[in-house]
Amino acid sequence: MATRLIVLSCIFLAFFQSSNAAYNVVSFGARADGKTDSTLPFLRAWGSACNSVRSATIYVPRGTFLLKPIVFSGPCKSKIVFQIAGTLVAPSDYWSIGNSGNWILFNKVSWVSVKGGIIDAKGASYWSCRRAGRSCPTGSSSISFMWSSNIVVNGLKSINSQLIHIAIYHCNDVVLRNLKITAPSTSLNTDGIHVQSSTGITISSSMIKTGDDCISIGQGSKNLWIDHIACGPGHGISIGSLGDNVYEDGVQNVTITSSVFTRTQNGVRIKSWARPSNGYARNIVFRNIIMRDVYNPIIIDQKYCPDNKGCPNQNSGVKISQVTYKNIRGTSASQVAMNFICSSSNPCNGIKLQNIRLTYNKRAATSSCTNAAGLSNGVVIPRSCLQK
Ligand SMILES: *[C@@H]1O[C@H](CO)[C@@H](O)[C@H](O)[C@H]1NC(C)=O
């Protein structure tokens, strides 16, 4: 009898634990009017979900919710799904989020997924402040994940960030998919997605139209897989700027595939500051890519030094090696479609070119190489200028 009771209560507990705890932000006082500050109600909903021993869903219904800078901190007791049907907006005064660095921050969390939703940081007045050269706050990323793991962001739309739309720092195992990111081509420093000091990041099936890099990959990024990205307008997908610091972690094992660049400033770029560093970029693959009127479709730029400031000897210490370009075709908006400007103290090596066809004004474009070595294979137009 006693054992039967124990078995029954175990079954009951198991059933109970597998069902989900649900927390609607409205029942914590959030208002869908776009005017009432819903920051505290969101934090209370997070607190309850984070303390739940059962996996929890935080539900944001339709409507517009005003949020000031907010930090969702872990560690939490169980998995959390943030299900967003509505829109999260920042206050229209850009100072209110402008000095916090991040508008919406997830810190030290794991097994969190964000599903759906629109986030609108209302960055336009912040960009005009900067353009006018007035004194402006330092600016915020719209949604950031730091020191986190096993994160999924699926179906989120981000509009008009002040700076970076989505930032990933010190994270492991992150999947970003079905994202829509939009800001005008003239907006300053509005990178779509920035990854740094993180491992195991997948970015897939996303549309990115913005004023800076569609995706930027900073120091210490490893094991990245990026596929089915439609980029443009924007500055393309960039590894770098690397070599910002004398001592920094390198970038390795990055694949970018099945993507289209439309009228972007760059297609696939690796760039490093022209100054000493122990940084590196290696085992990088760019393949199955279409360029449509891209200004610099293929570029390595190790002479990056805006305004010629902070680059005393103009040589980059960053070592670039084992970079493959395969199945890349389309049109260049400038004559030089393939441009390898590598460091004289650390030449690029192990560059591989295979099946490339890039035209400029309906003719073959040209290529340019400085301190760059590698091999070419199959049809390569413009012809390779790599040293063997
Ligand atoms: C490279 O990254 C991919 C996915 O991002 C991963 O599956 C693979 O194991 C990594 N390779 C190495 C050698 O670490």
Side-chain angles (χ1 to χ4, degrees):
M1 189 63 204
T3 38
R4 198 188 272 179
L5 206 67
I6 288 166
V7 168
L8 273 176
S9 42
C10 283
I11 291 171
F12 179 74
L13 264 178
F15 169 78
F16 217 73
Q17 281 178 344
S18 70
S19 76
N20 208 309
Y23 302 93
N24 187 327
V25 292
V26 171
S27 49
F28 290 83
R31 296 276 296 275
D33 60 6
K35 293 194 295 247
T36 311
D37 182 1
S38 290
T39 312
L40 272 177
F42 269 64
L43 280 176
R44 289 195 196 109
W46 174 264
S48 299
C50 189
N51 265 315
S52 167
V53 289
R54 293 183 284 154
S55 62
T57 299
I58 298 171
Y59 183 62
V60 181
R62 280 166 187 257
T64 305
F65 296 87
L66 183 78
L67 292 183
K68 292 190 173 159
I70 188 163
V71 183
F72 299 114
S73 306
C76 297
K77 292 191 175 146
S78 196
K79 293 187 186 184
I80 298 180
V81 176
F82 224 114
Q83 178 87 49
I84 310 174
T87 301
L88 314 182
V89 292
S92 47
D93 176 4
Y94 55 78
W95 285 95
S96 71
I97 67 164
N99 273 325
S100 62
N102 307 283
W103 171 32
I104 301 167
L105 170 63
F106 288 86
N107 195 31
K108 299 183 182 156
V109 300
S110 53
W111 302 103
V112 168
S113 52
V114 176
K115 293 188 181 165
I118 300 175
I119 58 173
D120 182 356
K122 297 189 181 283
S125 55
Y126 175 68
W127 316 320
S128 6
C129 175
R130 289 190 47 203
R131 235 179 265 114
R134 294 202 299 273
S135 97
C136 314
T138 48
S140 277
S141 300
S142 283
I143 184 167
S144 309
F145 291 86
M146 292 187 188
W147 307 103
S148 294
S149 62
N150 297 98
I151 302 299
V152 177
V153 180
N154 190 350
L156 180 74
K157 179 172 183 183
S158 175
I159 305 170
N160 295 344
S161 54
Q162 287 190 342
L163 298 174
I164 298 165
H165 286 263
I166 300 176
I168 309 288
Y169 299 102
H170 304 283
C171 290
N172 290 322
D173 300 308
V174 177
V175 176
L176 308 175
R177 74 167 83 242
N178 302 319
L179 306 182
K180 285 198 178 128
I181 292 175
T182 58
S185 61
T186 51
S187 58
L188 298 167
N189 304 121
T190 53
D191 286 356
I193 299 167
H194 179 70
V195 177
Q196 192 163 315
S197 307
S198 294
T199 301
I201 312 295
T202 302
I203 304 172
S204 118
S205 306
S206 294
M207 203 188 70
I208 306 172
K209 306 176 176 201
T210 195
D212 206 315
D213 294 333
C214 288
I215 300 175
S216 58
I217 298 163
Q219 57 174 86
S221 302
K222 298 189 176 146
N223 304 352
L224 268 60
W225 177 270
I226 297 173
D227 71 285
H228 295 93
I229 304 299
C231 167
H235 293 183
I237 295 183
S238 191
I239 295 177
S241 308
L242 304 180
D244 207 3
N245 307 297
V246 177
Y247 297 102
E248 67 175 36
D249 209 358
V251 171
Q252 70 185 54
N253 185 20
V254 176
T255 301
I256 293 162
T257 182
S258 310
S259 293
V260 181
F261 295 82
T262 307
R263 283 184 286 281
T264 48
Q265 183 197 73
N266 308 289
V268 289
R269 169 168 65 163
I270 302 176
K271 86 174 168 173
S272 73
W273 283 88
R275 61 189 184 209
S277 174
N278 70 336
Y280 61 83
R282 60 182 178 237
N283 299 336
I284 314 289
V285 177
F286 302 110
R287 63 178 154 85
N288 304 340
I289 287 170
I290 295 173
M291 305 284 180
R292 294 183 180 140
D293 293 327
V294 172
Y295 200 78
N296 301 300
I298 293 176
I299 182 163
I300 294 179
D301 177 8
Q302 293 206 267
K303 283 230 179 270
Y304 182 67
C305 194
D307 305 323
N308 279 316
K309 276 190 196 138
C311 315
N313 61 15
Q314 299 289 314
N315 284 326
S316 176
V318 173
K319 289 155 232 25
I320 298 177
S321 61
Q322 308 307 321
V323 184
T324 299
Y325 301 86
K326 186 176 172 184
N327 300 336
I328 299 182
R329 62 192 169 83
T331 53
S332 175
S334 78
Q335 173 105 49
V336 184
M338 199 151 70
N339 199 356
F340 300 115
I341 309 162
C342 295
S343 164
S344 53
S345 53
N346 294 284
C348 300
N349 63 64
I351 297 179
K352 289 194 201 91
L353 304 172
Q354 190 178 351
N355 297 334
I356 293 177
R357 189 184 292 269
L358 291 165
T359 59
Y360 169 64
N361 274 344
K362 303 208 164 82
R363 294 198 216 136
T366 60
S367 59
S368 171
C369 294
T370 312
N371 308 314
L375 296 170
S376 87
N377 214 311
V379 178
V380 172
I381 300 170
R383 201 177 304 154
S384 166
C385 53
L386 298 170
Q387 293 161 282
K388 294 258 160 56

